[in-house]
């Protein structure tokens, strides 16, 4: 593969990451929670699809008809049982409980599915691709994924800007107390946000599983990629998340060109480099001396 | 109008740090450490091995609690330092033929040194970002180690410290020396933390925990306080990593049993949540709980995946329903404070 | 007809007892001016009525039903709306979105975006503007409009004149007068005694968490109220 091809593939890969990152971004924006189990929930979506495909012989795309509604329910239930209590209990508690959930899910998946590596069939478009030039081919599936990511982001943007639920979500995110005073049920708003977040995670997990193989240990990796995409793109902006996902995808693919083992590492390096830049810029000056009384 | 300053009323209150109970307890603790030091003379191989495990679990729990309980920093990436401590020990003793115990000490310092630049980068992040940021560092370091071509490091297949130990010591000596190293590390780290908390740093950390912005506004150097904690925890986890290496001799950089694995964080979080977040004695209680669980759960569960499902589930349960942990609940119920980390205000009752 | 009954209400604010044993009744169509110095407990009382603060003791009855344990968003559905101190608009939302977000409360009535704009004409050109960029008077109009969007039976207003230029205050009170003429039931917290007494039919004065003076606005003299406000005279021994 040439460098151009690497960049193009990186852009396409960015679609998956953007999709993965959307739910994380949404939950953080509305509730200020970083759901450490986000990647694991995406993986559960993939495994549910796998069960349906394996046992019923249906196509992966059809399995989404079951997986997505299921994910909505799981997300809603997760919020009203565990996350709501965690929110009330303190600032750090959501991190601790979602981390615990990550561990529980990873090991339950290990128990039920063992370490076998699987992949979801991508259907007839799986092997199809455009030959744009002699060096660059664009797999249809990757293009579909990017298109889907843009569509979902657009849908979410529409939801947030033009519907009553969206207004309630944004109002609750800005000032939950006052939202309650104008009749918004914050509990229900949070539950719906989590439901949407888990559903997009499951969707992303299924598409991730169609383009690469997965096993029970993939959850943390997906979480880290999602988070890196969010941070690179700048937290709080949906389209920034898309940009972040694309940058991450490019970084990873370009890194692979240098050395096939550098896939994940390149992403980490770019992520950490951006952190360093933000830290240096954030402090206002690039110095070794720690600013006096600085609040992080 | 007379230009006199108002005379302050004679002080009716004294600030105390030690109570009778805490003085007795601290004395008892020192005695226990002394007794434990004599253990190799009396106890068998199995027990000593188990105790080493208990000691490094205590170190890990205390370090994680130092970060989260006293600094408000939830780190899911301390395994970076555990791995660094273990690998640095191997590197120094295999590559440079240093005495393995000296290597362990140096590895501890290396862990602290690495924590400085990492801390400068991640401490700017808010809670969730800090957690994942530390994890990314751990993953990145793990990958770098697995790609290292140096035969002493061993790349993806891991490495072992068997050689440097066997060259110098027979197995019994290794066991005893490692035991004393582990006990010593735990005791010293606890003592250092104790002193840190009693110093001005301790008071400023309490202020930061209560209200970071308010603390900064009265001149508390928030970043400095957190930075000191982070370096201390880095060194402590590296020490634990070095002990783990001396105990199990072979380590892997990747995979579920990796020395850089997130399962270490799972254990740390379990111990601190069960023992008592933010208390000094809590993590020790939590380490004992994990140790008992590990030792006395039937092998089929203890070695299988249900072990971590259990740990995760219990951790979630404690986080939601017993937020103060076992020890914290005891402290709240009985007003007990065994180690004098805080202050007491003693006022004399006045009769009017 | 009695719309609101408060019985022996105790509300804590942190460690402080902000409202002590407060009792009063309000009939439909009445306007109660709640006056008192800073820290007297007026805002806490209003927030307790709206459901933002859980009382430590006592009861609140709305339209005959005990709503003491009903959460804030359900009280809005029953018809209680609060315009909070400091307006508390949603800064990232536009004026229209601020209004519409309150429309989800599910109550029917004359108030919608069009009628709110009719009542507060200064909002007409501002509907698409973000709330954070509004002036004080414009924010106050939006905040009151937002509360009205829930078609409330009881409107609670907390310090609507705070931080506003006199012209803006006059505008707000003109709109208030129109609402009162229309038969609205209002509890109005106001530091400006003159304004409060001018629009209200009833008046209550709070001091250190208690109501130390209450009565029909027309029957109380300025001197009586001033004394109660500052805790002088007979009221001081309460």
């Amino acid at each position: 593969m040439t460098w151009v091809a690497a960049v193009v593939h990186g852009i396409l890969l960015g679609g998956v990451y953007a999709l993965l990152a959307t739910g994380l971004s949404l939950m953080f924006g509305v509730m200020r929670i970083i759901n450490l189990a986000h990647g694991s929930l995406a993986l559960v979506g993939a495994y549910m699809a796998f069960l349906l495909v394996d046992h019923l012989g249906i196509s992966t795309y059809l399995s989404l008809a079951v997986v997505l509604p299921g994910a909505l329910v799981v997300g809603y239930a997760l919020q009203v049982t565990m996350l709501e209590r965690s929110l009330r209990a303190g600032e750090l508690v959501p991190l601790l409980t979602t981390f615990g959930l990550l561990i529980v899910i990873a090991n339950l998946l290990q128990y039920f599915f063992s370490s076998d590596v699987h992949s979801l069939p991508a259907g007839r478009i799986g092997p199809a691709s455009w030959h744009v030039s002699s060096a660059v081919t664009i797999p249809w599936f990757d293009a579909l994924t990017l298109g889907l990511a843009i569509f979902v982001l657009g849908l979410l943007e529409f939801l947030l800007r033009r519907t009553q639920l969206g207004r309630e979500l944004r109002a609750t995110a800005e000032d939950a107390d006052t939202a309650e005073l104008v009749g918004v049920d914050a509990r229900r708003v949070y539950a719906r946000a989590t439901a949407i977040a888990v559903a997009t995670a499951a969707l992303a997990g299924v598409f991730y599983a169609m383009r690469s193989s997965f096993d029970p240990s993939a959850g943390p990796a997906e979480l880290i990629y999602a988070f890196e995409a969010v941070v690179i793109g700048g937290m709080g902006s949906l389209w920034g998340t898309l940009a972040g996902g694309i940058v991450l995808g490019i970084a990873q693919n370009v890194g692979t060109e240098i050395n096939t083992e550098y896939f994940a590492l390149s992403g980490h390096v770019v992520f950490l480099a951006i952190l360093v830049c933000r830290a240096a810029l954030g402090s206002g000056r690039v110095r070794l001396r720690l600013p006096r009384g600085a609040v992080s | 109008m007379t230009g006199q300053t108002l005379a302050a009323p004679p002080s009716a209150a004294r600030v105390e740090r030690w109570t009778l109970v805490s003085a007795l307890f601290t004395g008892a603790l020192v005695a226990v450490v002394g007794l434990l030091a004599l253990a190799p003379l009396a106890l068998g191989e199995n027990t000593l091995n188990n105790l080493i495990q208990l000691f490094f679990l205590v170190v890990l729990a205390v370090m994680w609690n130092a970060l989260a309980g006293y600094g408000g920093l939830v780190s899911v990436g301390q395994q970076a330092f555990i791995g660094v401590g273990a690998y640095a020990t191997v590197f120094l003793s295999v590559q440079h033929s240093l005495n393995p115990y000296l290597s362990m000490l140096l590895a501890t310092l290396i862990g602290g040194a690495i924590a400085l630049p990492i801390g400068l980068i991640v401490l700017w992040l808010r809670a969730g970002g800090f957690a994942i940021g530390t994890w990314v560092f751990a993953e990145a370091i793990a990958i770098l180690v697995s790609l290292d071509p140096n035969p002493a490091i061993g790349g993806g297949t891991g490495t072992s410290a068997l050689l440097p130990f066997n060259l110098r010591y027979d197995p019994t000596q290794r066991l005893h020396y490692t035991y004393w190293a582990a006990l010593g590390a735990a005791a010293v780290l606890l003592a250092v933390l104790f002193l840190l908390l009693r110093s001005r740093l301790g008071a400023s950390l309490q202020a930061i925990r209560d209200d970071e912005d308010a603390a900064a506004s009265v001149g508390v150097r928030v970043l400095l306080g957190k930075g000191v904690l982070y370096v201390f925890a880095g060194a402590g986890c590296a020490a634990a990593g070095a002990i783990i290496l001396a105990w199990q001799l072979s380590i892997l950089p990747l995979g579920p049993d990796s020395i850089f694995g997130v399962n270490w964080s799972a254990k740390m979080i379990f111990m601190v949540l069960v023992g008592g977040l933010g208390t000094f004695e809590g993590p020790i209680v939590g380490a004992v709980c994990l140790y008992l669980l590990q030792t006395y759960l039937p092998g089929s569960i203890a070695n299988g995946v249900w072990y971590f499902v259990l740990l995760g589930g219990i951790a979630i349960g404690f986080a939601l329903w017993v937020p103060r942990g076992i020890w914290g609940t005891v402290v709240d119920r009985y007003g007990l404070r065994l180690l004098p980390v805080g202050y007491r205000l003693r006022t004399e009752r006045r009769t009017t | 007809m009695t719309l609101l009954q408060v019985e022996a209400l105790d509300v804590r604010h942190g460690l402080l007892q902000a409202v002590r044993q407060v009792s009063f009744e309000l009939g439909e169509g009445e306007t109660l001016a709640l006056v008192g110095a800073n820290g007297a407990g007026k805002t806490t009382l209003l927030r307790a009525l709206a459901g933002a603060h859980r009382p430590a003791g006592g009861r609140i009855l709305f339209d005959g039903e005990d709503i003491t344990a009903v959460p804030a968003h359900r009280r809005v559905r029953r018809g209680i709306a609060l315009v909070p101190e400091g307006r508390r608009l949603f800064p990232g939302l536009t004026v229209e979105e601020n209004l519409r977000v309150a429309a989800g409360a599910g109550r029917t009535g004359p108030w919608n975006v069009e009628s709110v704009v009719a009542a507060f004409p200064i909002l007409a050109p501002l509907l698409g503007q973000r709330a954070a960029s509004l002036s004080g008077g414009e924010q106050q109009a939006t905040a009151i409009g937002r509360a009205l969007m829930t078609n409330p039976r009881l409107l609670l207003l907390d310090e609507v004149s705070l931080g506003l230029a006199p012209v803006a205050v006059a505008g707000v009170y003109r709109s208030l007068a129109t609402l009162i003429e229309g038969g609205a039931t209002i509890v109005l917290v106001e530091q400006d005694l003159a304004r409060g007494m001018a629009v209200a039919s009833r008046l209550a004065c709070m001091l250190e968490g208690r109501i130390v003076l209450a009565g029909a606005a027309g029957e109380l003299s300025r001197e009586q109220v001033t004394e109660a406000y500052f805790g002088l005279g007979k009221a001081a021994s309460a």
Side-chain angles (χ1 to χ4, degrees):
Chain A
M1 258 212 276
T2 66
W3 299 102
V4 177
V7 171
V8 170
H9 280 255
I11 294 176
L12 297 172
L13 180 58
V16 182
Y17 291 149
L19 213 49
L20 259 179
T22 304
L24 201 66
S25 202
L26 184 64
M27 279 183 77
F28 183 74
V30 177
M31 286 172 281
R32 294 273 171 275
I33 288 183
I34 298 245
N35 181 2
L36 292 179
H38 183 80
S40 313
L41 290 165
L43 192 60
V44 169
Y47 270 105
M48 291 301 109
F50 172 72
L51 276 180
L52 290 167
V53 167
D54 206 44
H55 286 245
L56 298 180
I58 57 175
S59 89
T60 312
Y61 303 101
L62 195 56
S63 73
L64 285 173
V66 175
V67 171
L68 289 184
L72 282 171
V73 172
V74 166
Y76 200 96
L78 188 66
Q79 175 65 30
V80 294
T81 52
M82 198 182 88
L83 290 179
E84 189 182 300
R85 271 202 81 108
S86 305
L87 266 176
R88 283 204 306 261
E91 221 193 306
L92 302 178
V93 181
L95 282 175
L96 298 171
T97 51
T98 54
F99 182 74
L101 188 62
L102 176 163
I103 297 286
V104 168
I105 291 179
N107 286 278
L108 280 178
L109 287 175
Q110 175 80 20
Y111 177 74
F112 286 115
F113 296 99
S114 80
S115 310
D116 296 339
V117 171
H118 296 290
S119 190
L120 286 174
R124 262 171 299 163
I125 71 164
S129 56
W130 279 305
H131 290 265
V132 172
S133 77
S134 59
V136 184
T137 57
I138 297 184
W140 284 14
F141 181 77
D142 288 5
L144 171 69
T145 311
L146 183 61
L148 182 69
I150 296 176
F151 175 71
V152 169
L153 280 171
L155 205 61
L156 212 55
E157 191 72 11
F158 177 81
L159 178 85
L160 283 176
R161 299 272 150 217
R162 297 229 187 273
T163 65
Q164 181 67 6
L165 174 61
R167 281 188 283 267
E168 292 183 357
L169 271 167
R170 284 187 293 142
T172 312
E174 291 188 353
D175 189 342
D177 270 341
T178 308
E180 287 259 330
L181 289 171
V182 296
V184 174
D185 185 346
R187 264 187 87 220
R188 248 177 36 144
V189 163
Y190 287 157
R192 286 165 160 189
T194 310
I196 296 173
V198 174
T200 54
L203 181 66
V206 168
F207 272 80
Y208 184 88
M210 281 197 273
R211 71 175 343 264
S212 54
S213 55
F214 62 97
D215 67 45
S217 68
E222 297 190 44
L223 167 73
I224 288 181
Y225 296 151
F227 183 74
E228 289 179 339
V230 171
V231 169
I232 293 174
M235 303 198 81
S237 148
L238 280 186
W239 297 111
T241 303
L242 179 65
I246 289 176
V247 169
L248 182 65
I250 294 176
Q252 289 182 338
N253 272 342
V254 167
T256 311
E257 280 298 296
I258 304 174
N259 180 329
T260 47
E261 308 264 6
Y262 282 179
F263 179 72
L265 191 61
S266 327
H268 296 332
V269 168
V270 169
F271 166 77
L272 293 171
I274 299 221
L275 276 190
V276 174
C277 290
R278 293 240 178 93
L281 293 173
S283 72
R285 39 193 185 260
V286 189
R287 281 204 285 189
L288 274 182
R289 198 161 62 102
L290 296 171
R292 211 169 196 286
V295 179
S296 48
Chain B
M1 299 280 270
T2 55
Q4 272 180 321
T5 51
L6 285 170
S11 176
R14 266 185 355 256
V15 173
E16 286 186 350
R17 306 220 62 177
W18 294 85
T19 63
L20 184 63
V21 174
S22 66
L24 280 176
F25 185 79
T26 313
L29 203 61
V30 174
V32 165
V33 170
L35 272 177
L36 283 171
L38 297 173
L41 303 177
L43 298 175
E45 196 181 290
N46 246 352
T47 320
L48 289 178
N49 253 322
N50 283 341
L51 282 174
I52 294 176
Q53 197 182 38
L54 177 63
F55 294 154
F56 70 67
L57 284 178
V58 167
V59 170
L60 288 175
V62 169
M63 291 305 122
W64 200 86
N65 181 54
L67 280 179
Y70 291 112
L73 299 163
V74 172
S75 165
V76 172
Q78 289 311 100
Q79 59 266 23
F81 301 104
I82 301 176
V84 162
Y87 270 96
T89 309
V90 168
F91 183 69
L92 291 171
S93 60
V94 170
Q95 185 88 342
H96 296 276
S97 304
L98 289 179
N99 180 300
Y101 292 103
L102 178 62
S103 309
M104 283 164 66
L105 185 63
L106 290 174
T108 306
L109 298 173
I110 291 175
I114 290 191
L116 203 54
I118 295 181
L120 277 173
I121 297 173
V122 293
L123 284 173
W124 295 96
L125 296 170
R126 260 175 284 167
F130 175 80
I132 304 190
T134 57
W135 195 354
V136 171
F137 260 110
E139 293 288 310
I141 295 176
I143 296 176
L144 284 172
V145 166
S146 75
L147 295 175
D148 194 320
N150 186 326
I153 301 286
T157 50
T159 185
S160 160
L162 196 62
L163 204 58
F165 277 104
N166 278 356
L167 276 179
R168 291 181 177 79
Y169 311 106
D170 64 57
T172 313
Q173 281 175 318
R174 176 173 75 84
L175 181 63
H176 288 185
Y177 295 155
T178 307
Y179 174 89
W180 281 318
L183 175 63
V188 167
L189 288 168
L190 273 172
V192 171
L193 182 64
F194 180 69
L195 292 172
L196 272 177
L197 291 175
R198 278 175 63 99
S199 72
R200 272 182 63 178
L201 178 73
S204 50
L205 284 175
Q206 178 70 55
I208 293 169
R209 251 196 307 172
D210 287 343
D211 188 337
E212 203 169 295
D213 293 317
S217 73
V218 296
V220 171
R221 299 166 78 132
V222 175
L223 217 54
L224 186 61
K226 290 184 176 181
V228 168
L229 270 183
Y230 194 70
V231 168
F232 174 68
C237 288
I243 297 168
I244 292 169
L245 172 74
W247 179 68
Q248 65 184 39
L249 284 181
S250 61
I251 50 175
L252 289 167
L254 301 171
D257 298 315
S258 140
I259 194 83
F260 285 106
V262 76
N263 280 342
W264 286 109
S265 277
K267 289 186 181 177
M268 284 188 264
I269 293 179
F270 172 88
M271 289 190 282
V272 175
L273 283 178
V274 166
L277 183 68
T279 64
F280 193 84
E281 306 86 345
I284 303 175
V285 172
V288 170
C289 286
L290 180 63
Y291 167 73
L292 291 175
L293 208 65
Q294 242 171 244
T295 318
Y296 295 108
L297 261 188
S300 55
I301 302 180
N303 295 322
V305 291
W306 284 106
Y307 181 59
F308 278 98
V309 173
L310 194 64
L311 289 189
I314 294 178
I316 296 177
F318 267 80
L320 292 178
W321 289 298
V322 195
R324 294 278 289 155
I326 294 177
W327 187 254
T329 315
V330 165
V331 164
D332 288 345
R333 268 279 214 92
Y334 300 108
L336 205 58
R337 204 48 55 101
L338 290 183
L339 285 161
V341 204
Y343 296 85
R344 288 172 90 93
L345 190 68
R346 244 238 168 86
T347 50
E348 285 162 15
R349 297 201 179 270
R350 287 249 195 91
T351 48
T352 38
Chain C
M1 198 199 84
T2 311
L3 188 61
L4 180 69
Q5 265 170 284
V6 178
E7 295 175 1
L9 203 64
D10 279 320
V11 186
R12 283 196 211 289
H13 194 80
L15 292 173
L16 192 66
Q17 182 84 8
V19 175
R20 300 169 200 268
Q21 294 287 303
V22 162
S23 302
F24 66 89
E25 277 182 20
L26 195 62
E28 208 153 4
E30 295 192 300
T31 300
L32 172 67
L34 195 58
V35 300
N38 268 334
K42 314 184 299 291
T43 297
T44 312
L45 175 60
L46 232 54
R47 286 176 61 86
L49 292 176
H53 259 128
R54 264 279 194 74
R59 289 202 310 167
I60 304 172
L61 291 127
F62 185 67
D63 211 4
E65 282 181 58
D66 189 339
I67 60 162
T68 320
V70 175
H73 66 268
R74 292 251 177 81
R75 292 194 199 188
V76 175
R77 281 173 205 275
R78 288 178 187 242
I80 302 180
L82 171 70
V83 180
E85 191 183 12
R87 276 85 68 176
R88 303 285 292 271
L89 293 178
F90 303 114
L93 272 62
T94 64
V95 169
E96 183 167 355
E97 289 175 328
N98 264 280
L99 296 178
R100 284 200 190 281
V101 79
R107 289 178 56 79
T108 48
W111 293 106
N112 51 34
V113 177
E114 289 74 30
S115 54
V116 164
V117 172
F120 299 96
I122 56 164
L123 294 182
L126 301 171
L127 285 178
Q129 207 171 315
R130 284 178 72 240
S133 59
L134 299 176
S135 75
E138 293 161 352
Q139 283 190 9
Q140 193 61 269
T142 311
I144 298 176
R146 183 178 62 178
L148 289 172
M149 290 288 292
T150 66
N151 284 299
R153 293 181 64 194
L154 172 66
L155 188 60
L156 307 170
L157 296 149
D158 199 346
E159 306 268 18
V160 292
S161 62
L162 210 59
L164 257 51
V167 174
V169 175
V172 167
Y173 268 87
R174 268 198 300 274
S175 310
L176 269 183
T178 317
L179 286 177
I180 294 169
E181 273 166 43
T185 315
I186 295 180
V187 176
L188 174 71
V189 164
E190 187 50 78
Q191 274 198 47
D192 186 337
L193 273 178
R195 290 272 184 200
M197 288 180 80
V199 292
S201 56
R202 307 246 320 270
L203 185 136
C205 184
M206 282 184 82
L207 180 71
E208 288 172 9
R210 289 182 216 278
I211 294 186
V212 292
L213 180 70
E219 288 166 10
L220 299 169
S221 73
R222 281 284 212 99
E223 290 69 37
Q224 270 179 298
V225 178
T226 315
E227 273 185 13
Y229 192 107
F230 290 105
L232 312 165
K234 284 191 297 186
S237 54

